[in-house]
Amino acid sequence: IDAIFPEWLDGNVGRISPLGLGDDTAQITPKEFVDKMLEDAGDKIQVVLGTCTGVETDQGSERASRKVTAIKYQPRVEGKNEYVEEEVLPADCVVVSAGPWSCAAEDWFRGAVKLPMEGIKSTSIVWKQPEGSDVDATALFCGEDNRFGTHLEVYPRPDGSIYICGIGGSDYITTDRLKKGAFREVCDANELRVEAARKSFGEMSSIYKTKGELDRVQACRINAVV
């Protein structure tokens, strides 16, 4: 364990056991991963940003052979959370992968598709790299910290920052609210949970407790099947 024990984990910690030693584990930064995939795809793929509002279908020549022919969507104004008049994008295949907002597809397909989903709104934080300190790639999956109501997951990133989730106090959002677009554009962090995470992590790392500075606070939406 000494070989993978990070220098910044110098505070009060309990029992530690490794899930991997680095040669059989890996982690990625989601946005960097997606950006790289798009870069590698080059002109083979076109990204269109907008909000899907439904699908168009065709009955076809045989009974029960209705097929998707297009999606209806509102294009997003570049650089803004604003949308213009609905447009139609031809399609012969549609993949619904919009996280918790995928439940809206129940209405697009007139009840033929059931997606009993709710959403979980969870806060997360990102620490800047402390000046003069190295940050290695050791990720942590912590147990419950009943003092602060957290169960932190700690992910160092290649740029020296550290992403932390598992902050606790998540909010559950109903299917009806998701279908209406709840938190699709703006998903603010819960400041009370930000402070709880700051204190919980500070107990494990005196470096971050004394020298740490948050780069940003944020929240994301997670699927919950009901």
Side-chain angles (χ1 to χ4, degrees), residues 18-219:
L19 295 176
L21 300 177
D23 55 352
D24 56 352
T25 55
Q27 57 175 307
I28 62 172
T29 303
K31 184 178 186 304
E32 291 182 2
F33 176 68
V34 172
D35 287 345
K36 185 61 178 178
M37 290 181 65
L38 293 175
E39 179 184 326
D40 289 347
D43 57 5
K44 297 178 183 178
I45 188 172
Q46 179 184 2
V47 177
V48 178
L49 299 179
T51 297
C52 186
T53 56
V55 297
E56 292 188 351
T57 61
D58 180 75
Q59 176 58 56
S61 58
E62 300 180 9
R63 185 178 177 83
S65 63
R66 183 173 292 277
K67 297 180 179 180
V68 173
T69 59
I71 65 165
K72 297 181 289 185
Y73 76 105
Q74 290 180 296
R76 175 184 287 180
V77 178
E78 186 174 356
K80 300 180 180 179
N81 288 332
E82 298 177 4
Y83 297 85
V84 296
E85 188 175 347
E86 184 178 86
E87 295 185 12
V88 175
L89 185 66
D92 57 10
C93 181
V94 174
V95 177
V96 180
S97 57
W101 296 280
S102 297
C103 60
E106 290 183 333
D107 301 331
W108 306 342
F109 296 100
R110 303 176 184 177
V113 176
K114 297 297 183 183
L115 295 170
M117 302 174 68
E118 293 182 348
I120 302 173
K121 177 176 176 285
S122 297
T123 294
S124 57
I125 62 177
V126 179
W127 290 91
K128 294 180 180 180
Q129 181 176 0
E131 186 175 351
S133 299
D134 293 327
V135 179
D136 66 10
T138 304
L140 306 177
F141 299 89
C142 305
E144 294 287 341
D145 186 341
N146 294 323
R147 297 168 300 177
F148 306 107
T150 62
H151 48 278
L152 300 184
E153 297 180 16
V154 182
Y155 300 95
R157 290 177 167 174
D159 63 359
S161 64
I162 291 183
Y163 168 85
I164 297 181
C165 59
I167 290 175
S170 298
D171 299 315
Y172 286 82
I173 311 302
T174 65
T175 301
D176 288 342
R177 291 184 65 193
L178 289 170
K179 286 184 177 182
K180 295 176 181 177
F183 300 106
R184 189 173 57 210
E185 301 300 337
V186 179
C187 197
D188 293 329
N190 182 329
E191 293 297 332
L192 292 177
R193 303 318 305 162
V194 169
E195 188 61 22
R198 181 199 293 268
K199 290 179 178 179
S200 182
F201 188 57
E203 290 297 311
M204 294 186 288
S205 174
S206 66
I207 293 175
Y208 282 87
K209 187 174 186 178
T210 58
K211 300 168 57 178
E213 181 182 352
L214 289 180
D215 179 62
R216 60 187 178 275
V217 300
Q218 56 201 12

